[in-house]
Every structure is written in C-alpha cells, then in structure tokens.
C-alpha cells in the first residue's frame, strides 16, 4: 500500500440509533485509533453521512415513514444525521452527504478520491450489510484496491455482519481484510496480519458453519513482515 495514494473512508458512523447496532461502542473506539494514526501520516480521512430529507424529497422507494410522514431513519433536522461525537470530522477532513446506500452513488466521492490520487481505499462503517457493503462493491467496480477494516463495521446482528463480510471476501477479488489494530501496525511500518482474497468464492459458507468460516479471516490471515 502506497500511503501517498491511500485514504480512509468511514461510511455513516452516525448518531442514528434506531437500528440497534451491535458492538457500536467498539466500532467507535477502533475507528478513533485508526483515524488518529491516519491523521498523523496525513492520510485523508473521508466521512459519508446518510441523509433523508424531512420533506421526503429524494427519499428511496418505500423508505419507512413515521406517523407524520417523515423518514424514520437519518431524518434531517435531527441529531441522527450527525457523525458520532467521539470521531467527529475535523476541518481538514472531507464530509460527503448521500441519499442512497452506496457512498459512490451520485456523490462526489469518486471525484474526491481521484483528485487525491487515491488507489488504496481503507474502508469501514455502518451498516455492514447495507451502506458499507454497497460502497465496497462500488469502490471495487471503480478499480480501487479495497482494504476492509472489519472491526469498524457492524450491523443489527452478528449473522448479518458475518454474512455480509463473507460475501465481500468471496466476491471482491483481491480484497484485503484487517482488524484495525493490524492496519495501524501496517501504517506504522510494523509486522501485521491481513487476510487476502486468493480467488472467487473461496470461503463457501452455510448457516451451519458461518462462525467457523468467519473465524478463518483471522486464523488464515498472513503475517506480513515489513522491510526495514
């Protein structure tokens, strides 16, 4: 990974809490440490925010509405759309608002990354099986090297999180999957562990063996020794 051609993209780590996201505290804490390391190295930090206008303009088909006709999730005029305080953007960071799941869909994200000459995209966020996964696939289709940080991703339940992660591992060719602590080691020039895709559908999983196969993302990770 060329750090001069890298960026960290955090998908929708917002105050919206109606999903009941599992492990959100760990996501925030892990994100905080990774953001700090990226800022030390002048690696761009990019945030996306999902936005649903209170008046319904631009709302996705059948997006849930409350009794007053306003969007239930990510409604403008509420704190739900703001990035969680502990990892709030700084002035030098980039914040991109979006109206659909993928961070790339009809936003300036691709233009921003290209203007920064980014090739290596470090990415994580919420929710694993929704906005995060669609952003990963769209980034892959635009030829970015995907570096997924799985412990800054989360969703409403363990099964959905594991399934989405394994789908990305299976079908984003060449994807690299890290825990945040290992990616920080990489950024610091230390030895680190990473799992990397070697081909399509290599982690075939079933409901019965999902936890076992998900564990392979750690057990089968390779130790990469940094050159001194």
């Amino acid at each position: 990974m060329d750090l001069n051609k890298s960026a960290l993209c955090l998908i929708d780590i917002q105050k919206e809490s109606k999903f009941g996201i599992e492990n959100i505290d760990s996501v925030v804490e892990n994100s905080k440490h990774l953001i700090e390391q990226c800022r030390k190295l002048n690696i761009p930090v990019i945030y996306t925010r999902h936005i649903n206008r209170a008046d319904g303009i631009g709302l996705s088909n059948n997006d849930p509405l409350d009794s007053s006709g306003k969007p239930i999730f990510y409604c403008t005029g509420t704190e739900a759309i703001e990035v969680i305080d502990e990892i709030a953007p700084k002035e030098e960071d980039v914040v991109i608002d979006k109206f659909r799941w993928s961070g790339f869909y009809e936003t300036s994200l691709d233009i921003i990354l290209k203007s920064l000459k980014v090739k290596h995209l470090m990415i994580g966020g919420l929710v694993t099986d929704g906005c995060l996964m669609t952003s990963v696939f769209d980034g892959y289709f635009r030829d970015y090297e995907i570096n997924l940080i799985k412990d800054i991703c989360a969703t409403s339940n363990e099964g959905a999180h594991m399934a989405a992660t394994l789908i990305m591992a299976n079908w984003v060719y060449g994807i690299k999957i890290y825990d945040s602590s290992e990616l920080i080691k990489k950024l610091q020039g230390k030895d680190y562990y990473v799992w990397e895709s070697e081909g399509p559908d290599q982690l075939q999983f079933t409901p019965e063996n999902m936890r076992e196969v998900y564990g392979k993302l750690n057990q089968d990770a390779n130790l990469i020794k940094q050159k001194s």
Side-chain angles (χ1 to χ4, degrees):
M1 182 191 297
D2 184 343
L3 300 188
N4 293 318
K5 296 181 179 179
S6 300
L8 173 63
C9 185
L10 302 169
I11 302 295
D12 303 356
I13 308 182
Q14 295 164 261
K15 294 181 181 180
E16 176 58 74
S17 61
K18 297 185 184 71
F19 295 116
I21 295 170
E22 287 191 349
N23 299 317
I24 185 64
D25 291 342
S26 294
V27 166
V28 172
E29 187 66 18
N30 293 335
S31 298
K32 180 179 177 181
H33 295 306
L34 183 56
I35 291 167
E36 289 172 352
Q37 184 61 46
C38 286
R39 286 177 176 152
K40 286 179 183 177
L41 297 172
N42 294 317
I43 293 172
V45 180
I46 301 171
Y47 297 77
T48 70
R49 300 191 313 171
H50 195 78
I51 302 291
N52 287 329
R53 285 177 55 120
D55 58 12
I57 294 175
L59 201 63
S60 299
N61 288 339
N62 298 315
D63 215 287
L65 304 176
D66 64 20
S67 58
S68 66
K70 293 183 179 180
I72 291 176
F73 304 118
Y74 302 106
C75 186
T76 55
T78 72
E79 276 205 338
I81 65 172
E82 302 300 337
V83 175
I84 290 174
D85 291 337
E86 292 91 327
I87 56 169
K90 292 190 175 181
E91 185 177 357
E92 65 269 22
D93 300 326
V94 177
V95 180
I96 295 173
D97 289 343
K98 62 187 182 64
F99 294 86
R100 292 294 186 271
W101 288 9
S102 171
F104 287 93
Y105 184 78
E106 296 190 358
T107 74
S108 60
L109 179 56
D110 192 37
I111 293 172
I112 295 292
L113 292 172
K114 283 183 168 55
S115 71
L116 293 169
K117 299 182 173 19
V118 169
K119 179 65 177 176
H120 310 282
L121 188 61
M122 299 176 284
I123 189 168
L126 309 176
V127 292
T128 318
D129 53 343
C131 297
L132 184 279
M133 183 165 66
T134 54
S135 298
V136 164
F137 276 107
D138 276 356
Y140 170 61
F141 297 148
R142 288 164 175 79
D143 298 325
Y144 294 102
E145 179 191 283
I146 301 298
N147 299 270
L148 178 67
I149 312 109
K150 66 181 174 65
D151 64 349
I152 66 169
C153 303
T155 189
S156 58
N157 66 85
E158 180 191 21
H161 170 73
M162 288 192 295
T165 303
L166 292 174
I167 288 168
M168 289 183 279
N170 269 342
W171 298 112
V172 178
Y173 302 160
I175 191 173
K176 296 179 176 66
I177 300 180
Y178 302 82
D179 283 333
S180 57
S181 59
E182 297 301 318
L183 182 53
I184 289 171
K185 290 177 186 177
K186 176 180 175 65
L187 297 177
Q188 293 173 334
K190 300 177 181 178
D191 297 347
Y192 64 94
Y193 282 93
V194 62
W195 185 91
E196 184 172 0
S197 165
E198 296 178 351
D201 202 19
Q202 71 180 83
L203 288 175
Q204 297 183 20
F205 62 96
T206 67
E208 292 76 21
N209 71 0
M210 187 184 294
R211 283 195 181 94
E212 177 185 352
V213 176
Y214 185 80
K216 290 180 177 293
L217 297 176
N218 284 344
Q219 294 167 4
D220 293 351
N222 296 312
L223 175 63
I224 308 296
K225 292 187 177 294
Q226 296 282 336
K227 296 179 180 179
S228 58

